[in-house]
Amino acid sequence: MLGRIASFFKDDHRYVFLGTSAFALVGLWLAMQPRTPSSFLAQSYALEVVLYYLLVAWLVLSAVALVNKLIKWRDYGTSSPFVRESLRRMVRIASYVMWAIVCVFIVDRLGMGLVDLVRTSTQASSNPTDFLSSTVYMLSKSSSIFATGIITTIELATFGTIIAFFLALLMVFLRIQEIDRSDNDFIRFLKTVGSGFAKLYSTVIRGTPMMIQGMIIYFAGFGVLRGTGMSVSEIGAIWSTFVAGLVTISLNSTAYMMEVLRGGIEAVDSGQTEAARSLGLSQWQAMMKVVFPQGVKNAVPALSNELVINIKDSSVLSVIGVFDLMFATTTVAGIYFKQSEIYVVAAVCYLILTMTATWLLNKLSRRLTGAAPRTLPSSN
Amino acid sequence: MEELQQTVSQQDQLRETTQQTQAGETTQQTQAGETTQQTQAGETTQQTQANTPDAQPSHDNQAAEPLIRIENLRKSFGDLEVLKDINFEVMPGEVVSIIGASGSGKSTLLRCINLLEVPDSGHVWFHGSDLAGERTNVNELRESIGMVFQSFNLFNNKNVLDNCTLAPVTLKKCSKAEAEERGRRHLTAVGLADFIDAPATSLSGGQKQRVAIARALCMEPEIMLFDEPTSALDPEIVGEVLNVMRDLAAEGMTMVVVTHEMEFARSVSDRVVFMDAGVIAEQGSPEDIFGNPREPRTREFLARYLGE
């Protein structure tokens, strides 16, 4: 990327006239927009005029070059003044000047315009009517609500995924138990029950919406505690909506992560188990020492997806009143009765969170699995 | 070819050093070296035994108990009957090669010996226990039965030394230090002393198979099973694995080898078993089987293999 930009400035290229002209048109359009109060070009009107006409001059030059090329279509490469080495370099340097001018206009009109927008809308006494100002106004007034929501969402997704990962490690052990010849009746019974339970758990959790799971867990927990004679405020202290939400997201994610882990474990070559068993290791030992580490490594990329999914899916927990980003958004929308603005803000927040999570997880999983195996020369 | 030559020259070196320190504990290795040399020179196994009586301790004694006794073994995969009433014995110190066409049941028979394949009926007697019995502790018996696979099956999440020490340490056969010492000793014997810390996945096929042999030896087994150990290797690499197996046979290890390497079966085995369509069609000394086969199907099979 950087190399391409550097080459664009250093090397001769084909887009000097066309690309710069298109950009210069953008600059001209910006120059014709009204100046905002904090525009710095407003102080030096003469400079702005000079810049404006430099852009116009560039467009004229481009037009001349185009006409020249159209007229001398056949022998443009040999006879046109524009292909001469010295002129070409001059034109290229001039095109950089044009880019700089347009950038000045962008900062002046768009950049300073945004600064003005933020300044006026944050100081406004009532909610402005236009989309951007209103969004900035509401964001500035309710920034603490959003901050709480975003932090809660991050906590729910991160802790939920980590707890689910360890639960899934336990559950997948139950899930993949197979009866071995040397097992006694008690072990056989335990393995059958364990594997059956894990299968049932996975089917039920993956077959019902997390929103309903959250409802059931929250209200069932509430009901049980109420049954012990606690008051509502006492219950709120230990069985808050956040705790209920965290339990829900952990239990839900466990089922999915268990299946991902099972896929990773089943992808390990059966020869690995056979080799371990042939040395006398029990099925459990072969699983623990050989198959499981390889299976988890296989599953790391798919497991890390689960965090991204949880960031998004935690939004349904707002129905039980978990103060996550979704709940914060609904709250703010209710205060100002402006929906579209505030939900766009929520979408952008979720997007930033998931993109950041993806980026971090990619780095992590590359460190865990990506280290290329050391290659060694053949011995003899 | 180059690698093979290097192996041979390494063995020469080994032989020289052993000769220099002959008084010490390395007498065994010298014998191994001599045996290999003589076998390679084309002399028969019988003569080799006569020259080095100590190398193969007990199998001349026909009165001894067989180490493995297989009785009426049957195994089917669905409708396909792979093993049809097999009876088969392996004496201590004996090297048995099982040959036969693909699909004749060789590998299944071998895998039934340590119960990686569970037979439908029959018995696999080993040290007075029936491995095929319903509630036999197979894990414990497997500790004494080493196995080498066609596809090596090295533990991909471990390095070379850890591959060797995993089972002895996990099964508490010895301390970690002792297991590592054992691992180093066996890895050195197969010529991989320099690769002790290398990840298992980084090795070539021939190296992997030699590590697999060392790994099995670290459990100090009484018998070694080889399931087509060279079939997945390039022709020029086969030699380095076969040499290790030759040394092992010369040291007196009891071995059952499923193989397509007829030259190896002829020169190293005490007995050759020819399987066809799920039954043992013929068995006998290598001279008989290769020189004077009785069964027409044995002749046909050998003609196909050796005629080329």
Side-chain angles (χ1 to χ4, degrees):
Chain A
M1 186 65 193
L2 279 175
R4 287 180 76 165
I5 293 173
S7 128
F8 186 80
F9 284 107
K10 275 198 306 218
D11 305 335
D12 209 1
H13 55 84
R14 305 159 59 182
Y15 309 110
V16 173
F17 284 117
L18 187 64
T20 312
S21 297
F23 203 53
L25 277 172
V26 172
L28 284 180
W29 177 77
L30 282 171
M32 284 183 262
Q33 300 304 307
R35 278 181 295 269
T36 51
S38 53
S39 161
F40 50 81
L41 282 178
Q43 274 108 52
S44 51
Y45 181 68
L47 176 65
E48 193 182 318
V49 171
V50 170
L51 293 179
Y52 182 86
Y53 281 106
L54 275 174
L55 288 179
V56 172
W58 175 266
L59 286 174
V60 171
L61 179 70
S62 301
V64 171
L66 181 63
V67 170
N68 180 269
K69 182 160 189 173
L70 288 174
I71 292 169
K72 303 192 167 191
W73 190 257
R74 288 170 193 284
D75 52 353
Y76 179 79
T78 50
S79 67
S80 168
F82 287 104
V83 296
R84 240 182 289 147
E85 188 57 41
S86 54
L87 195 63
R88 268 164 74 162
R89 195 182 319 118
M90 275 171 61
V91 167
R92 205 172 82 239
I93 291 165
S95 79
Y96 304 152
V97 175
M98 295 305 134
W99 283 71
I101 291 172
V102 177
C103 286
V104 167
F105 276 114
I106 287 176
V107 171
D108 185 66
R109 295 297 197 271
L110 291 183
M112 300 316 285
L114 201 64
V115 169
D116 276 325
L117 181 91
V118 170
R119 190 181 296 156
T120 52
S121 32
T122 49
Q123 286 164 359
S125 51
S126 67
N127 200 347
T129 46
D130 72 294
F131 191 94
L132 270 179
S133 307
S134 172
T135 308
V136 173
Y137 174 79
M138 289 187 289
L139 262 181
S140 70
K141 294 289 183 217
S142 46
S143 59
S144 66
I145 297 179
F146 269 102
T148 314
I150 288 173
I151 290 169
T152 311
T153 291
I154 292 173
E155 282 173 352
L156 272 180
T158 316
F159 295 139
T161 310
I162 292 170
I163 295 169
F165 175 70
F166 289 107
L167 286 178
L169 285 183
L170 295 177
M171 290 288 280
V172 79
F173 266 125
L174 295 181
R175 178 75 177 81
I176 58 178
Q177 289 303 331
E178 276 171 23
I179 287 165
D180 196 30
R181 280 176 67 86
S182 58
D183 291 336
N184 60 35
D185 285 339
F186 181 61
I187 301 280
R188 280 170 196 240
F189 174 74
L190 281 186
K191 282 185 172 179
T192 314
V193 169
S195 168
F197 170 72
K199 266 183 219 164
L200 181 72
Y201 180 83
S202 163
T203 311
V204 170
I205 294 287
R206 296 192 307 149
T208 52
M210 187 158 83
M211 194 187 269
I212 293 173
Q213 291 162 15
M215 292 279 202
I216 293 174
I217 288 171
Y218 177 58
F219 289 113
F222 193 86
V224 167
L225 293 174
R226 199 89 175 93
T228 62
M230 292 170 83
S231 73
V232 174
S233 58
E234 279 171 338
I235 294 172
I238 57 164
W239 189 243
S240 63
T241 52
F242 178 79
V243 173
L246 189 60
V247 169
T248 308
I249 208 165
S250 305
L251 294 183
N252 180 276
S253 205
T254 299
Y256 289 96
M257 285 178 125
M258 181 180 90
E259 295 299 327
V260 169
L261 279 173
R262 189 169 67 96
I265 287 166
E266 280 173 2
V268 176
D269 180 32
S270 62
Q272 298 282 317
T273 319
E274 282 186 0
R277 298 303 305 272
S278 80
L279 290 163
L281 270 66
S282 69
Q283 201 192 15
W284 172 259
Q285 287 165 329
M287 178 54 67
M288 288 294 287
K289 300 277 179 176
V290 178
V291 179
F292 200 69
Q294 294 183 48
V296 173
K297 201 172 155 183
N298 285 345
V300 162
L303 281 178
S304 62
N305 268 343
E306 203 61 26
L307 176 63
V308 175
I309 291 170
N310 280 342
I311 289 174
K312 295 184 293 173
D313 285 5
S314 60
S315 60
V316 302
L317 294 173
S318 61
V319 292
I320 59 170
V322 182
F323 208 105
D324 71 334
L325 178 52
M326 183 65 196
F327 193 86
T329 311
T330 320
T331 308
V332 175
I335 293 171
Y336 297 101
F337 208 67
K338 285 235 175 187
Q339 278 77 18
S340 55
E341 287 89 343
I342 219 70
Y343 284 115
V344 167
V345 170
V348 170
C349 288
Y350 275 115
L351 187 63
I352 292 170
L353 286 179
T354 51
M355 282 169 73
T356 313
T358 310
W359 180 71
L360 286 173
L361 289 168
N362 275 344
K363 280 182 82 169
L364 186 72
S365 80
R366 212 172 299 148
R367 183 173 299 177
L368 282 178
T369 62
R374 204 155 49 101
T375 49
L376 286 155
S378 184
S379 69
N380 38 24
Chain B
M1 212 47 219
E2 197 180 281
E3 291 192 0
L4 192 68
Q5 278 162 0
Q6 280 174 8
T7 321
V8 173
S9 73
Q10 239 186 20
Q11 284 184 341
D12 287 340
Q13 270 183 347
L14 188 70
R15 238 168 266 150
E16 276 167 28
T17 44
T18 23
Q19 269 153 15
Q20 281 157 12
T21 57
Q22 215 161 15
E25 70 235 22
T26 40
T27 333
Q28 183 102 36
Q29 275 181 327
T30 319
Q31 281 172 354
E34 278 171 17
T35 318
T36 321
Q37 208 173 23
Q38 281 158 0
T39 331
Q40 279 168 346
E43 288 178 62
T44 63
T45 332
Q46 239 82 46
Q47 284 167 321
T48 316
Q49 284 162 17
N51 288 344
T52 56
D54 290 340
Q56 296 181 341
S58 56
H59 94 276
D60 291 327
N61 181 2
Q62 291 300 321
E65 273 285 294
L67 190 59
I68 296 272
R69 197 169 80 241
I70 291 175
E71 286 176 1
N72 307 106
L73 197 72
R74 288 177 185 278
K75 174 72 186 174
S76 303
F77 293 115
D79 291 336
L80 184 69
E81 201 174 9
V82 186
L83 296 178
K84 300 167 185 164
D85 199 21
I86 300 278
N87 288 285
F88 176 63
E89 285 178 356
V90 183
M91 304 303 286
E94 196 179 22
V95 176
V96 181
S97 291
I98 304 179
I99 61 172
S102 298
S104 57
K106 316 183 292 292
S107 285
T108 310
L109 173 60
L110 195 76
R111 289 163 62 83
C112 279
I113 294 180
N114 69 352
L115 230 75
L116 279 184
E117 219 63 79
V118 181
D120 297 337
S121 67
H123 305 282
V124 181
W125 294 102
F126 179 66
H127 279 298
S129 310
D130 181 11
L131 273 134
E134 190 56 34
R135 296 288 158 93
T136 312
N137 188 347
V138 179
N139 295 339
E140 204 181 310
L141 294 171
R142 276 182 183 145
E143 290 172 9
S144 311
I145 307 177
M147 179 140 184
V148 174
F149 298 86
Q150 181 178 356
S151 49
F152 329 128
N153 296 347
L154 291 191
F155 304 137
N156 291 328
N157 55 332
K158 305 273 180 204
N159 72 19
V160 168
L161 186 60
D162 289 344
N163 260 277
C164 295
T165 57
L166 176 77
V169 171
T170 307
L171 298 167
K172 305 205 166 53
K173 291 280 121 189
C174 57
S175 68
K176 184 150 174 56
E178 197 193 325
E180 284 183 359
E181 193 277 323
R182 255 190 225 178
R184 276 174 219 280
R185 180 155 44 87
H186 288 299
L187 286 170
T188 310
V190 298
L192 289 172
D194 297 340
F195 291 81
I196 276 171
D197 295 322
T201 45
S202 71
L203 301 182
S204 74
Q207 292 167 339
K208 281 182 182 172
Q209 195 61 297
R210 286 185 283 154
V211 173
I213 293 172
R215 173 176 72 178
L217 289 175
C218 281
M219 286 300 288
E220 303 191 329
E222 295 169 48
I223 177 168
M224 288 280 284
L225 311 177
F226 292 85
D227 187 5
E228 303 195 24
T230 57
S231 296
L233 299 176
D234 292 336
E236 67 266 30
I237 310 287
V238 168
E240 65 185 59
V241 173
L242 290 184
N243 280 339
V244 169
M245 289 168 65
R246 278 201 177 91
D247 292 350
L248 205 56
E251 282 167 26
M253 175 61 78
T254 313
M255 291 163 61
V256 182
V257 186
V258 169
T259 186
H260 290 292
E261 295 290 326
M262 293 305 151
E263 183 47 44
F264 179 82
R266 189 207 294 262
S267 61
V268 180
S269 346
D270 302 314
R271 182 152 57 95
V272 176
V273 173
F274 171 68
M275 284 192 70
D276 186 54
V279 296
I280 294 180
E282 185 172 358
Q283 55 178 318
S285 68
E287 296 82 52
D288 287 345
I289 295 287
F290 288 103
N292 186 21
R294 280 174 285 119
E295 294 279 331
R297 42 188 173 173
T298 317
R299 273 200 289 275
E300 199 182 307
F301 170 78
L302 289 174
R304 237 183 305 141
Y305 256 89
L306 303 173
E308 287 163 3

